[in-house]
């Protein structure tokens, strides 16, 4: 039975979801040893290859890879000092990923940051633990996600790539609510209010500590929507991946 702890955005969070699985930890460390066999340090540019080595489906890692690529193309320098442009959301999101994975220290002065692109092993274990859980439950995640996508739209292309790339918006979620007969007008019982749907959109946005979960560059431009990675986070929070 999955254990619960507190609530985030009105949703009860599974305690087991964030718990480190010993078998997964062993797999993470084995892959880490392979990456660092020729060098003591694990650098951020090696992270995408590391995640491929763990065979994490790309729908859960594309956002990470885009941030790593952006960092080395536009933000990296030998000294590590960098002035963040507050109006540049790509820089802001990339810096959040850097804080989530590397030994770079957080700072209150976002205009003057010192970036160290060496991966922190403890942070890596914490993040990779979740991604491996997504990998292990991919069939369940994809199957459930496809049901939602099918309920929200009539895709002419129903390939796995198209389905995994789909973005569920609030109007889509309202369609799904009606499709599942959860409207007050359709079932005569207590309805699943729009506030709950908004909770769904928000509970997969940040952790309980306020750190962003999905490093998708499109979200600041296009507004709130759910990707399959966000959906996996929701399922995990609800105890579906325990």
């Amino acid at each position: 039975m999955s254990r619960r702890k507190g609530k985030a955005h009105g949703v009860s969070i599974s305690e087991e979801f964030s718990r480190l699985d010993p078998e997964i930890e062993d797999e993470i460390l084995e892959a880490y040893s392979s990456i660092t066999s020729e060098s003591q340090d694990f650098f951020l540019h090696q992270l995408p290859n590391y995640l491929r080595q763990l065979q994490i489906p790309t729908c859960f890692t594309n956002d990470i890879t885009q941030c790593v690529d952006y960092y080395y193309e536009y933000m990296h320098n030998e000294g590590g000092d960098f002035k963040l442009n507050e109006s540049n959301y790509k820089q802001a999101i990339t810096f959040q990923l850097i804080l989530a994975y590397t030994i770079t220290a957080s700072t209150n002065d976002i205009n003057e940051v010192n970036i160290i692109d060496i991966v922190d092993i403890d942070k890596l274990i914490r993040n990779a633990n979740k991604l491996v859980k997504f990998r292990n439950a991919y069939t369940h995640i994809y199957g459930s996600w496809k049901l939602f996508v099918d309920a929200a739209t009539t895709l002419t292309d129903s390939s796995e790539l198209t389905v995994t790339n789909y973005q569920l918006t609030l109007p889509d979620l309202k369609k799904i609510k009606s499709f599942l007969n959860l409207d007050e007008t359709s079932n005569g019982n207590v309805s699943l209010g729009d506030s709950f749907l908004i909770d769904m959109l928000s509970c997969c946005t940040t952790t309980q500590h306020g750190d962003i979960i999905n490093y998708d560059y499109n979200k600041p431009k296009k507004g709130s929507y759910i990707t399959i990675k966000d959906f996996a986070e929701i399922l995990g929070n609800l105890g579906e991946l325990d």
Side-chain angles (χ1 to χ4, degrees):
M1 180 181 295
S2 63
R3 298 177 61 189
R4 304 283 173 161
K5 61 175 182 180
K7 290 189 176 182
H9 307 289
V11 179
S12 181
I13 303 299
S14 167
E15 189 176 61
E16 191 65 29
F17 177 49
S18 59
R19 193 186 306 278
L20 179 60
D21 183 302
E23 291 186 5
I24 291 177
E25 182 179 18
D26 289 342
E27 184 179 358
I28 291 169
L29 292 175
E30 183 178 351
Y32 179 87
S33 297
S34 175
I35 289 288
T36 57
S37 60
E38 297 181 1
S39 173
Q40 182 178 356
D41 292 322
F42 182 157
F43 291 94
L44 189 64
H45 69 81
Q46 297 172 291
L47 182 59
N49 183 52
Y50 173 81
L51 296 176
R52 284 192 292 270
Q53 188 170 324
L54 287 175
Q55 298 183 316
I56 310 297
T58 56
C59 59
F60 302 134
T61 63
N62 284 332
D63 59 322
I64 296 171
T65 299
Q66 75 172 359
C67 284
V68 172
D69 290 344
Y70 183 89
Y71 166 69
Y72 283 102
E73 185 169 358
Y74 298 107
M75 298 172 64
H76 178 70
N77 63 70
E78 292 301 323
D81 293 328
F82 188 81
K83 290 186 177 182
L84 285 177
N85 181 348
E86 294 184 48
S87 63
N88 188 323
Y89 63 87
K90 290 185 178 181
Q91 286 186 12
I93 292 173
T94 300
F95 187 60
Q96 286 296 312
L97 175 123
I98 289 168
L99 291 177
Y101 278 90
T102 72
I103 63 175
T104 300
S106 60
T107 175
N108 292 326
D109 185 5
I110 63 172
N111 293 316
E112 294 284 348
V113 297
N114 183 260
I115 298 174
I116 305 174
D117 62 336
I118 297 175
V119 171
D120 183 305
I121 181 61
D122 293 325
K123 293 179 180 179
L124 180 69
I125 291 172
R126 182 170 62 250
N127 287 298
N129 175 60
K130 181 184 294 184
L131 292 172
V132 172
K133 287 183 178 182
F134 290 168
R135 180 204 68 189
N136 291 346
Y138 177 74
T139 300
H140 173 58
I141 293 169
Y142 175 78
S144 301
W145 173 252
K146 189 175 187 303
L147 288 175
F148 270 51
V149 173
D150 288 345
T153 184
T154 53
L155 292 174
T156 55
D157 177 8
S158 59
S159 66
E160 184 171 346
L161 180 61
T162 299
V163 172
T164 56
N165 284 338
Y166 193 80
Q167 300 164 348
L168 286 176
T169 62
L170 183 58
D172 287 332
L173 292 176
K174 289 181 178 180
K175 290 179 184 178
I176 294 168
K177 185 178 69 167
S178 297
F179 180 81
L180 296 177
N181 202 32
L182 296 174
D183 281 318
E184 184 176 9
T185 55
S186 61
N187 65 13
N189 298 317
V190 177
S191 67
L192 183 63
D194 289 349
S195 61
F196 180 81
L197 300 181
I198 294 172
D199 281 341
M200 284 187 65
L201 286 170
S202 60
C203 78
C204 59
T205 303
T206 61
T207 67
Q208 59 181 326
H209 303 297
D211 301 320
I212 64 173
I213 294 169
N214 192 327
Y215 306 99
D216 184 353
Y217 285 158
N218 290 319
K219 286 198 172 188
K221 296 186 298 181
K222 299 176 66 174
S224 295
Y225 58 78
I226 294 177
T227 67
I228 190 172
K229 183 176 183 178
D230 301 322
F231 186 71
E233 187 79 22
I234 292 171
L235 292 182
N237 284 333
L238 294 177
E240 289 293 313
L241 308 185
D242 293 349

